[in-house]
């Protein structure tokens, strides 16, 4: 449950804003020596072709191009019906990298979608949450609330299995060779390996591709912990987000929120239907 008003004083020092850009964000109480970097110099120097480049101007241009300029597409958008194998141009907005680091706000995106919906033709079928673009923004905030709730009950537990009230304890295996093969796209399954190659070079994958590789690593095939998968995504994704990334890995590994463990993404057949 969320902390009540009476608990605010005790939580104030834990949730206060950063006083300096170099401060360590919450959870506090750790020295900088205890926290290892996500990226090192070698990782920073690798050759990539990011799917988008940063900055507010480019974010607003992307919003204009994908949402404002396409009112009928925006109004009828349904996330499950987008294509995860489209290579000429993404079938979604690719606004997530800009939202994750604050180049544009969720409020700006929300109103842009509302304005586009209002301009769509009357005969255009209107989608609704959760599959609509408004629904995606609502789902984003829901993920943030759940992460906050987990950390309020057990500080620092979000993003790990131990003490996470939303995570089921599962006896995962630990095989460095399998994990490395997955990271490097050497599993032998072309669809999985292609998604991982896209992740390493572009810093982005369609959400159904993310679903497929996460399921493959965890409950689907390799039986490796979702924690190592989430950590790798955190270091590779342009839209890496503490709340969303860990929520999705909990979901796809059936460790939390979704428990139909027998429903797996086939590494062979799934992409042929999308």
């Amino acid at each position: 449950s969320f902390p009540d008003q009476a608990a605010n004083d005790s939580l104030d020092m834990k949730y206060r804003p950063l006083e300096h850009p170099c401060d360590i964000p919450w959870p506090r109480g750790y020295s900088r020596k205890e926290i290892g970097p996500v990226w090192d110099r070698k990782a920073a120097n690798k050759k990539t072709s990011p799917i988008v480049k940063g900055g507010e101007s480019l974010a607003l241009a992307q919003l204009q191009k994908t949402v404002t300029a396409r009112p009928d597409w925006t109004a009828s958008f349904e996330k499950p019906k987008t294509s995860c194998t489209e290579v000429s141009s993404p079938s979604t907005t690719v606004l997530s990298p800009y939202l994750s680091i604050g180049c544009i706000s969720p409020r700006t995106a929300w109103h842009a979608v509302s304005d586009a919906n209002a301009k769509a033709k009357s005969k255009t079928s209107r989608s609704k949450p959760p599959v609509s673009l408004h629904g995606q923004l609502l789902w984003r905030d829901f993920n943030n609330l759940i992460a906050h709730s987990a950390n309020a009950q057990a500080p620092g537990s979000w993003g790990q299995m131990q003490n996470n009230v939303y995570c089921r304890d599962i006896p995962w295996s630990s095989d460095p060779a399998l994990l490395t093969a997955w990271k490097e796209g050497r599993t032998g399954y072309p669809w999985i390996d292609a998604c991982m190659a896209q992740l390493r070079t572009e810093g982005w994958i369609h959400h159904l591709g993310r679903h497929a590789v996460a399921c493959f690593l965890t409950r689907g095939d390799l039986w490796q912990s979702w924690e190592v998968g989430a950590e790798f995504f955190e270091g590779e994704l342009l839209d890496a987000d503490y709340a969303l990334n860990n929520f999705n890995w909990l979901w796809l590994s059936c460790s939390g929120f979704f428990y139909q463990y027998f429903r797996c993404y086939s590494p062979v057949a799934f992409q042929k239907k999308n």
Side-chain angles (χ1 to χ4, degrees):
S1 62
F2 293 104
D4 56 30
Q5 189 65 32
N8 283 350
D9 291 341
S10 64
L11 295 171
D12 182 60
M13 296 302 291
K14 295 180 180 180
Y15 292 97
R16 72 186 189 281
L18 299 181
E19 296 177 356
H20 187 276
C22 293
D23 285 350
I24 298 174
W26 191 93
R28 309 192 189 281
Y30 292 90
S31 70
R32 192 169 294 277
K33 293 180 180 179
E34 295 179 77
I35 302 175
V38 175
W39 302 285
D40 56 20
R41 184 176 294 277
K42 180 181 178 180
N45 289 334
K46 72 177 183 179
K47 293 182 178 180
T48 59
S49 301
I51 193 168
V52 294
K53 295 184 178 181
E56 182 184 21
S57 296
L58 290 179
L60 293 173
Q62 183 76 2
L63 185 64
Q64 166 69 28
K65 173 185 175 182
T66 61
V67 174
T68 306
R70 301 190 294 175
D72 293 315
W73 180 89
T74 297
S76 60
F77 177 90
E78 292 187 37
K79 188 173 182 179
K81 294 183 178 180
T82 56
S83 173
C84 59
T85 55
E86 179 61 58
V87 294
S88 59
S89 61
S91 60
T92 58
T93 65
V94 196
L95 288 169
S96 55
Y98 298 117
L99 287 164
S100 71
I101 59 175
C103 292
I104 56 172
S105 69
R107 183 187 295 271
T108 297
W110 179 278
H111 286 295
V113 172
S114 295
D115 293 343
N117 288 348
K119 296 176 182 177
K121 296 183 180 70
S122 59
K123 64 179 180 181
T124 299
S125 176
R126 264 71 170 173
S127 57
K128 297 180 180 180
V131 298
S132 65
L133 286 175
H134 275 155
Q136 298 306 299
L137 290 169
L138 293 171
W139 186 253
R140 179 180 183 274
D141 275 357
F142 172 65
N143 284 199
N144 279 301
L145 287 171
I146 292 296
H148 175 87
S149 174
N151 284 334
Q153 297 177 73
S157 63
W158 189 247
Q160 62 186 38
M161 184 164 63
Q162 186 177 6
N163 297 326
N164 187 338
V165 295
Y166 294 110
C167 182
R168 174 177 291 177
D169 287 337
I170 296 175
W172 301 107
S173 296
S174 179
D175 188 323
L178 290 179
L179 178 61
T180 299
W182 176 81
K183 288 180 178 180
E184 297 178 355
R186 295 187 290 100
T187 68
Y189 289 91
W191 163 238
I192 300 299
D193 294 346
C195 287
M196 298 305 289
Q198 183 183 25
L199 174 63
R200 296 192 312 275
T201 56
E202 294 189 343
W204 186 88
I205 322 176
H206 185 279
H207 74 279
L208 291 178
R210 302 183 196 203
H211 289 190
V213 299
C215 180
F216 184 89
L217 179 68
T218 57
R219 63 189 168 90
D221 292 83
L222 303 184
W223 202 252
Q224 303 301 296
S225 173
W226 66 269
E227 294 168 298
V228 294
E231 182 181 25
F232 184 68
F233 267 33
E234 183 75 21
E236 297 290 330
L237 284 171
L238 292 175
D239 59 11
D241 182 290
Y242 171 68
L244 278 64
N245 182 44
N246 289 308
F247 187 104
N248 285 329
W249 276 94
L250 282 167
W251 183 289
L252 268 303
S253 65
C254 281
S255 296
F257 312 106
F258 179 76
Y259 297 114
Q260 296 182 29
Y261 61 89
F262 48 85
R263 294 182 58 185
C264 293
Y265 290 82
S266 168
V268 176
F270 176 73
Q271 76 276 13
K272 295 179 180 180
K273 300 183 291 182
N274 293 275

